Amino acid sequence: MRSWIIILLTLASFPCFAQQGYNYFSISGGLYHPEMVIGEMSLEFGQKYYRMWEVNFDYAHRERMTTFTIPPTTEEGEPTFGERREIVNSFKGGIIYKPVLFRSRNTMLSFRTGASLGTNTHQFIAGATAGFEFSFMTKQGIVLFLRQKNEVVFWDDDTWRVGGLVGLKVPLN
């Protein structure tokens, strides 16, 4: 009897980390409201109670037509109007914190909030993001998710960005 008590006390003294250590690599793509296409790659690190930290990298591509005016060269002349295609690419990297709002057997709803830094074609940009993520886990451990994203980007022409992404997460361990 004494040996069983010693074995139980020894096993109970080891640290236990339930619901911790789920790490994922994820890739996603989607659309932002002001005529943008976005792609993301990220690494997620799990903590207790399914809270996640995410280090992400995103790429956004915007292509639109802009109108410009050439002033007349003479007094009688009319101004000339023209159009040109403007292409702006932005690259950002940041950190996201994702606490869980709801969890069921195979589904989970998380709230996402974080910040990012990066550049677009012209200058330095910084952003703050918030949104929701609904994820579904398959039997193989791969996670499919839908992500709603609201973002405010400072020092950019499109300050407010709202969009949705679809993607998958692959477990690393």
Side-chain angles (χ1 to χ4, degrees), residues 123-138:
Q123 60 196 5
F124 170 79
I125 57 175
T129 184
F132 297 97
E133 179 178 301
F134 178 77
S135 55
F136 175 79
M137 181 176 282
T138 63

Side-chain angles (χ1 to χ4, degrees), residues 24 105-107 135-144 168-169 171:
Y24 293 98
R105 278 185 165 171
N106 296 355
T107 60
S135 55
F136 175 79
M137 181 176 282
T138 63
K139 288 182 180 180
Q140 294 81 15
I142 295 174
V143 178
L144 307 171
L168 62 96
K169 301 176 189 177

Side-chain angles (χ1 to χ4, degrees), residues 104-117:
S104 179
R105 278 185 165 171
N106 296 355
T107 60
M108 184 167 58
L109 179 67
S110 300
F111 178 73
R112 303 175 33 126
T113 182
S116 59
L117 299 172

